[in-house]
Amino acid sequence: MESTETINGVHAEDVILDNRTPSVVDNSSVNNNDTKPESVPKESANGGETQALSKRQKKKLLKKQKWNDTKAERRKREREKLKKRLVEKRAAGEPCGNIRKKLKQMTMATSSCKQRVVVDMSFDDLMIEKHLSQCVKQVSRCYSANRRVSSPMQLYVTSFEGKCAEVMSKQNGYEHWDVYFKKENYMDIFPKEDLVYLSSESKNVITTVDENKVYVIGGLVDHNVHKGLCLKLAEEKGIAHGRLPIDEFIEMKTRKVLTIDHVFRIILGVTEGGSWKEAFLKTIPARKGAVGKDEENDCDDSEVDKETTNNSSNKSEENSSESKEIVDKGDDAEKS
């Protein structure tokens, strides 16, 4: 016989234990080393939660604040620069009116220059997105240079579809540029005998710009990964090829590889009436250390002339000193 009473099959002791009020456990007194206390988020003035700014965010905020504080001062400096530039232009007799309106009047259709230049954009599959963006940017510089001359060349961009067209769409308003954008390949637009593909690896040197020819620039930015590709394509398609006379007119410290817009601006400079040497030196960046070959020779000649004059002056001084010694000896002999 059991010592404790049962109520409906349940021990009375268990019933008493279940009827007790649960004790509240103070979590603050419990020291749990496994869990870290959560950081309490700070409340903003509008009741929302804000996080503490990092050092970088604070730096950006201070920079933005400084930029806004100096806005009026910057505008004042810009206005002063503009006034100074206008005074210099008036003194030089240059036009000072609305240049943008004049640029809109200088179109390829009304230009006296009918020189055709093509940028072949059929290499988009060979370029990563970064290089493709650089290529499109160089094409935009070609357009910018062409619209700022009195007689712009006839600029074509062929095989303009796919990735290159997608990247170009990021340029707002490019559809209104004074450029002939063509989906077709250049061989479907121009006669084969008129084409000249430009390549730095070609052995054919272009000495004069022929208005009857169509000069093709490869729209490829690969940092020398696909070296000689444009020359190879020209030879496979049976197209004439050539290189600009860079070796004949200038010396460079770096590789003689030019960007798309550099090649375009050099040809543009020659069509404007400048010499090859002037076009090269005006276009190639100073960091490449381009020096005209004639200038180098002139420097050498001047150094040689300087040395000969110094030698002649030294010889004359020696002769004068020798003659003085002879005179002194003669005077001594007469005295004795």
Side-chain angles (χ1 to χ4, degrees):
M1 186 173 179
E2 296 180 359
S3 61
T4 57
E5 297 181 359
T6 59
I7 302 172
N8 295 330
V10 180
H11 291 286
E13 190 179 28
D14 294 339
V15 173
I16 295 169
L17 289 172
D18 291 340
N19 290 332
R20 287 184 303 175
T21 57
S23 60
V24 179
V25 179
D26 189 3
N27 292 329
S28 61
S29 63
V30 178
N31 185 13
N32 190 357
N33 295 326
D34 296 335
T35 58
K36 295 180 180 179
E38 295 181 358
S39 60
V40 180
K42 297 179 181 179
E43 290 187 359
S44 60
N46 56 4
E49 293 182 356
T50 58
Q51 294 180 350
L53 295 175
S54 63
K55 287 183 179 180
R56 182 176 291 181
Q57 288 173 332
K58 287 179 181 178
K59 192 175 180 181
K60 282 185 178 180
L61 192 64
L62 289 171
K63 189 176 180 182
K64 187 177 180 181
Q65 188 176 354
K66 186 179 179 181
W67 176 267
N68 292 330
D69 293 342
T70 58
K71 194 173 183 180
E73 187 181 348
R74 286 198 317 275
R75 284 188 175 179
K76 185 179 178 182
R77 287 201 302 265
E78 287 172 2
R79 284 195 294 268
E80 289 174 356
K81 283 183 181 178
L82 183 61
K83 286 180 181 178
K84 186 179 178 181
R85 199 155 52 238
L86 287 172
V87 170
E88 290 174 354
K89 281 189 174 183
R90 288 194 184 101
E94 296 179 7
C96 302
N98 194 337
I99 299 174
R100 190 172 289 275
K101 285 184 178 179
K102 292 180 181 179
L103 289 176
K104 288 182 179 180
Q105 297 172 0
M106 301 172 186
T107 61
M108 294 190 296
T110 59
S111 176
S112 59
C113 179
K114 301 303 177 185
Q115 181 63 62
R116 294 162 294 177
V117 176
V118 174
V119 180
D120 177 20
M121 298 293 289
S122 62
F123 305 100
D124 54 357
D125 292 333
L126 300 177
M127 291 182 282
I128 60 176
E129 188 175 351
K130 178 184 176 182
H131 293 165
L132 187 57
S133 299
Q134 291 175 355
C135 182
V136 168
K137 191 175 287 185
Q138 290 177 19
V139 173
S140 68
R141 288 176 188 156
C142 294
Y143 158 69
S144 180
N146 201 40
R147 72 191 293 263
R148 278 170 170 76
V149 294
S150 56
S151 300
M153 296 192 296
Q154 310 299 311
L155 175 59
Y156 290 80
V157 178
T158 61
S159 299
F160 183 71
E161 57 183 350
K163 293 180 183 178
C164 62
E166 187 179 332
V167 175
M168 182 65 82
S169 63
K170 296 177 184 177
Q171 300 272 355
N172 294 329
Y174 84 92
E175 303 92 345
H176 307 294
W177 291 1
D178 193 21
V179 178
Y180 299 124
F181 291 104
K182 302 288 184 181
K183 291 183 179 180
E184 300 85 3
N185 188 275
Y186 57 89
M187 293 197 72
D188 300 328
I189 302 171
F190 305 103
K192 186 177 179 179
E193 58 273 12
D194 293 348
L195 296 170
V196 178
Y197 215 116
L198 298 177
S199 173
S200 58
E201 286 83 14
S202 177
K203 294 181 180 179
N204 305 324
V205 182
I206 298 171
T207 55
T208 57
V209 177
D210 189 354
E211 199 172 77
N212 298 319
K213 296 293 182 181
V214 181
Y215 295 100
V216 184
I217 305 171
L220 177 63
V221 176
D222 63 341
H223 299 284
N224 218 24
V225 175
H226 302 284
K227 188 176 181 180
L229 180 60
C230 294
L231 177 62
K232 183 181 177 182
L233 288 174
E235 290 175 343
E236 288 177 354
K237 294 181 179 181
I239 305 170
H241 52 82
R243 66 171 177 84
L244 301 182
I246 190 168
D247 292 329
E248 286 70 23
F249 288 96
I250 64 168
E251 287 285 346
M252 288 175 62
K253 293 179 181 179
T254 58
R255 292 187 303 113
K256 297 174 183 177
V257 179
L258 305 176
T259 61
I260 299 167
D261 54 304
H262 287 164
V263 176
F264 181 85
R265 285 165 56 193
I266 288 166
I267 298 173
L268 183 64
V270 175
T271 58
E272 284 279 290
S275 64
W276 284 109
K277 180 182 169 184
E278 290 171 351
F280 282 130
L281 296 176
K282 187 178 179 181
T283 304
I284 297 173
R287 68 176 183 274
K288 288 184 173 286
V291 179
K293 285 194 172 181
D294 291 342
E295 289 181 4
E296 203 174 48
N297 294 334
D298 291 341
C299 292
D300 294 340
D301 293 340
S302 62
E303 288 177 1
V304 171
D305 294 338
K306 192 175 181 180
E307 288 179 2
T308 53
T309 52
N310 289 336
N311 292 334
S312 61
S313 61
N314 291 335
K315 286 180 180 179
S316 61
E317 288 177 0
E318 290 175 2
N319 293 332
S320 61
S321 61
E322 287 176 1
S323 60
K324 190 176 181 181
E325 287 179 1
I326 293 169
V327 171
D328 292 339
K329 287 180 181 178
D331 292 340
D332 294 337
E334 288 177 359
K335 288 178 181 179
S336 60

